[in-house]
Amino acid sequence: MNIMQSYNDWCNKATEDADLINELNSIKNDENEIHERFYTSLKFGTAGLRGIIGAGTNRMNIYVVRQATQGLANYVLNKYGNGSVAISHDSRIKADLFMIEAAKVLAANGIKVYITSELQPTPVLSYLVRYFKCQAGIMVTASHNPAAYNGYKAYGEDGCQMTDDAANAVYDEICKIDIFNDVKTTDFDEAVKSGMIEYVDDSVYDSYLEKVMEQQVNPGICKDADLKVVYTPLNGTGNKLVRKVLDKIGVKNVCIVKEQELPDGNFTTCPYPNPEIKEALQKGLELCEKEQPDLLLATDPDADRVGIAVKDYDGSYRLITGNEDGVMLTNYILLCKKENNVLPEKPVVVKTIVTTKLVNKLCEKYGCELKDVLTGFKYIGEIILNLEKDNEENRYLFGFEESYGYLSGTYVRDKDAVVASMLVCEMAAYYKKQGKSLAEVIDGLYDEFGYYLNKTYSFEFSGAAGMQKMSEIMTDIRNNLPKDVAGYNVVKVSDYLTKKEMDFENNSEIELQLPQSNVIALNLSENNAVIIRPSGTEPKIKLYITAVGKDKDNADMICNKLVASAKELLGIE
């Protein structure tokens, strides 16, 4: 079917959502707009689906959600014979509708569904999959993308986002399905009455919070620390559970950013609700100037990531990067568990390959095994699963990625901003009792190990030609590997697509044991590095820079040189 045939088919059959009907009518004579919506279909991968909300095969809508869910249902039935699936959603536009549509498809296929009665954080969905012993899970979210987006994350029976093999199997099923004719669905109310769709009881969320509380390193330390916190859920799902857990550990002085307190998929005060960027935290920072707290917490819309800002030496508020927060939390957990004589034998910390190498220094100091995995928290979840299989689950202490995702404990298999918010406050209270701020803590680690500056840059390649351009750039780099970047020699190249690591200093080559991924890591002299990775969910190439200097100014200078040289390598002005 060509693009215009597909468009006409949708005009005739996509009649259940008035928004889609209006959109299809409004682009009737606009070939470019029709092309953008129908030139391809959203591809189901390990991150599920993600796209702009709207009409067409290249958009998020009830028909694309139904088709994907029918593919997931076929996968579950083929693999397990029968089963159950847990579903939740965040505050995104149409997120509750997409959850209900997915539930109707699963119920029509004879698969039991557990759904939440209101929006919940992504880690809660991971917990529900494990709690109910489901065969799969669905979280309707687009994480930190702008308001125009929605998405559909799929989880396996272990509570991790689907592996490559499982996602490919689901995608194969989706490709067999006609989006209008081959999808089973049923009446929602009837499915609830029959028990095929069941709402999750509140007691389950209480059990989740109990598991979070078990991850305390120094229970009770916040009760007399007089810690003051400003918190913003960025109009997402963190509001209830983060506030509950802070109250439980004794953080009573919590000031909420009122404009961002309640769920709102329009994100009017932070058009890009990503705690990695200052603009998303601006309202929180303004409240900090008024309230003068010890720190600011900001959870993203699906509350799987948390950003923080801390009071600096001059009384202003300093944004802490995901790497810095992860380093401090790793150090805090290792230090205190050693102090309390509860550090397990052969402890394990896990990080992604694009995350700061400063953690390597900490793990060396505490005799802790460090495991590097590909970008994506599911790979950290796989490490936990493998430890669990060997009855060594207790060895896992902490896992994190530079993009503000953290997990302590094994009760879920995805990053969790609820537990991370708790641990950040506990850590702040621990050091406050010693007369130290978190700004002093991270600077102390830099003084001890060297200033590791890690920065991430994204370059967008939008439209139908964007993905092709990104592919060409990656191919060109592979075929023409640079000998240096900004004058720093390339000493080692790790190509995770070809699974080869070339060591130029020792003139050797080994096969990488991690799964295949379109990532090229250029390891440079003096511990610097440039990693290049196309996003799996957005038309962007991400550039991860590691610059190691004597101090911040020196590291900044090195970083600027590396970025300029890397942009030349990518052909970006």
Side-chain angles (χ1 to χ4, degrees):
M1 185 181 293
N2 65 32
I3 289 172
M4 285 308 300
Q5 284 178 320
S6 185
Y7 167 72
N8 289 328
D9 199 37
W10 275 65
C11 288
N12 293 326
K13 296 178 180 178
T15 58
E16 296 178 60
D17 186 330
D19 291 338
L20 302 186
I21 296 169
N22 292 336
E23 183 178 343
L24 290 166
N25 288 335
S26 71
I27 62 172
K28 182 166 54 177
N29 299 313
D30 193 328
E31 289 186 9
N32 288 334
E33 289 297 329
I34 292 171
H35 180 80
E36 283 297 322
R37 287 161 177 76
F38 291 97
Y39 81 91
T40 188
S41 297
L42 291 181
K43 189 177 187 304
F44 187 97
T46 57
L49 301 168
R50 191 174 299 182
I52 295 170
I53 302 163
T57 56
N58 191 35
R59 294 288 188 267
M60 283 294 297
N61 52 69
I62 61 172
Y63 301 103
V64 167
V65 167
R66 287 175 183 174
Q67 183 188 40
T69 308
Q70 184 65 56
L72 179 65
N74 292 350
Y75 165 79
V76 169
L77 294 173
N78 290 341
K79 184 171 182 180
Y80 301 102
N82 55 36
S84 61
V85 175
I87 317 178
S88 190
H89 67 92
D90 68 5
S91 59
R92 296 250 158 207
I93 295 167
K94 293 187 183 287
D96 53 346
L97 172 64
F98 293 166
M99 177 186 75
I100 287 169
E101 292 298 332
K104 287 161 59 178
V105 171
L106 292 165
N109 282 272
I111 295 171
K112 170 84 175 186
V113 184
Y114 298 96
I115 66 169
T116 58
S117 56
E118 63 179 5
L119 73 176
Q120 293 291 342
T122 285
V124 170
L125 185 277
S126 176
Y127 181 77
L128 295 179
V129 171
R130 296 175 59 76
Y131 182 91
F132 290 112
K133 296 181 172 57
C134 296
Q135 282 61 56
I138 300 166
M139 181 68 191
V140 182
T141 176
S143 188
H144 57 274
N145 284 78
Y149 284 77
N150 210 330
Y152 176 113
K153 288 183 181 177
Y155 288 74
E157 61 182 331
D158 57 353
C160 283
Q161 282 191 54
M162 279 194 167
T163 61
D164 296 326
D165 289 344
N168 288 337
V170 173
Y171 184 60
D172 287 343
E173 292 295 332
I174 292 170
C175 291
K176 301 173 188 175
I177 296 165
D178 181 277
I179 199 166
F180 294 115
N181 300 322
D182 297 338
V183 177
K184 297 178 183 178
T185 188
T186 189
D187 181 80
F188 180 79
D189 292 334
E190 288 300 320
V192 172
K193 284 180 185 176
S194 70
M196 286 304 296
I197 297 175
E198 180 181 329
Y199 283 103
V200 176
D201 188 80
D202 287 348
S203 63
V204 180
Y205 308 126
D206 293 337
S207 72
Y208 160 80
L209 278 179
E210 287 172 10
K211 293 295 183 183
V212 171
M213 292 289 290
E214 288 175 11
Q215 309 315 314
Q216 293 176 89
V217 179
N218 288 301
I221 198 164
C222 294
K223 289 182 179 176
D224 59 353
D226 192 29
L227 197 70
K228 185 174 185 179
V229 175
V230 164
Y231 170 57
T232 171
L234 295 179
N235 301 119
T237 60
N239 190 35
K240 286 188 177 181
L241 291 180
V242 170
R243 292 169 74 172
K244 275 186 180 180
V245 80
L246 294 188
D247 183 68
K248 282 177 177 289
I249 65 171
V251 181
K252 303 294 184 178
N253 196 351
V254 180
C255 306
I256 305 300
V257 178
K258 289 298 180 183
E259 302 96 322
Q260 299 172 340
E261 179 180 15
L262 300 179
D264 181 1
N266 293 300
F267 307 118
T268 53
T269 60
C270 53
Y272 199 76
N274 182 351
E276 294 181 62
I277 62 173
K278 185 176 182 179
E279 288 77 8
L281 275 60
Q282 190 57 44
K283 287 292 182 183
L285 291 169
E286 289 171 8
L287 188 57
C288 285
E289 292 300 324
K290 176 185 175 185
E291 295 290 345
Q292 292 295 301
D294 295 288
L295 73 151
L296 163 70
L297 293 174
T299 54
D300 70 339
D302 64 326
D304 62 352
R305 301 188 307 144
V306 60
I308 72 171
V310 302
K311 186 175 279 193
D312 215 339
Y313 307 105
D314 61 359
S316 65
Y317 284 84
R318 171 173 164 185
L319 297 181
I320 298 296
T321 69
N323 277 311
E324 289 175 328
D325 196 8
V327 163
M328 286 193 289
L329 285 169
T330 302
N331 184 68
Y332 170 68
I333 291 168
L334 288 169
L335 170 68
C336 291
K337 284 187 176 290
K338 188 172 183 179
E339 283 180 349
N340 299 336
N341 294 314
V342 292
L343 192 64
E345 191 175 345
K346 298 179 182 177
V348 171
V349 168
V350 191
K351 75 173 186 69
T352 61
I353 58 174
V354 299
T355 298
T356 180
K357 294 180 181 179
L358 181 49
V359 179
N360 301 51
K361 300 290 186 181
L362 291 174
C363 289
E364 288 171 14
K365 178 178 178 178
Y366 290 101
C368 179
E369 182 180 354
L370 177 66
K371 291 183 180 290
D372 274 301
V373 297
L374 292 177
T375 304
F377 222 86
K378 61 183 174 289
Y379 296 114
I380 295 176
E382 283 184 344
I383 295 292
I384 299 173
L385 179 63
N386 291 333
L387 289 169
E388 188 178 52
K389 288 177 180 176
D390 294 333
N391 294 315
E392 295 181 342
E393 190 178 347
N394 68 311
R395 290 178 58 200
Y396 172 83
L397 288 186
F398 192 60
F400 79 101
E401 55 189 6
E402 44 69 46
S403 55
Y404 297 64
Y406 316 97
L407 177 64
S408 176
T410 62
Y411 58 99
V412 298
R413 300 298 160 86
D414 209 342
K415 49 193 178 284
D416 187 351
V418 181
V419 77
S421 296
M422 180 189 78
L423 288 172
V424 166
C425 289
E426 187 182 304
M427 174 174 66
Y430 173 83
Y431 287 112
K432 186 174 183 178
K433 287 188 172 184
Q434 299 175 24
K436 294 173 70 174
S437 70
L438 291 183
E440 291 173 301
V441 172
I442 188 61
D443 287 345
L445 291 170
Y446 286 144
D447 289 341
E448 184 176 356
F449 297 111
Y451 200 101
Y452 281 69
L453 180 63
N454 298 91
K455 288 199 173 181
T456 304
Y457 299 84
S458 291
F459 303 101
E460 190 162 348
F461 297 83
S462 58
M467 301 302 283
Q468 178 62 31
K469 179 64 176 175
M470 287 161 54
S471 176
E472 290 170 0
I473 288 171
M474 296 301 288
T475 299
D476 185 57
I477 293 171
R478 285 190 171 90
N479 292 339
N480 302 280
L481 288 172
K483 293 183 178 179
D484 72 272
V485 179
Y488 294 95
N489 292 334
V490 176
V491 296
K492 187 186 292 183
V493 174
S494 302
D495 188 336
Y496 294 91
L497 187 64
T498 63
K499 300 186 73 169
K500 291 180 180 179
E501 184 171 87
M502 293 155 279
D503 186 332
F504 298 119
E505 287 190 322
N506 298 309
N507 196 27
S508 63
E509 183 177 301
I510 63 170
E511 183 176 348
L512 293 167
Q513 297 306 306
L514 296 179
Q516 194 175 46
S517 183
N518 191 11
V519 181
I520 299 172
L522 305 174
N523 295 285
L524 310 175
S525 54
E526 301 181 31
N527 286 328
N528 301 301
V530 173
I531 299 177
I532 305 160
R533 181 179 78 88
S535 171
T537 56
E538 304 168 272
K540 295 178 180 179
I541 284 183
K542 292 190 174 183
L543 195 62
Y544 301 85
I545 302 292
T546 298
V548 184
K550 298 173 185 176
D551 53 34
K552 186 179 187 303
D553 289 342
N554 183 228
D556 271 328
M557 180 196 70
I558 294 169
C559 180
N560 291 336
K561 289 167 61 178
L562 292 175
V563 172
S565 186
K567 285 173 70 175
E568 285 182 24
L569 190 63
L570 296 175
I572 296 168
E573 294 182 359

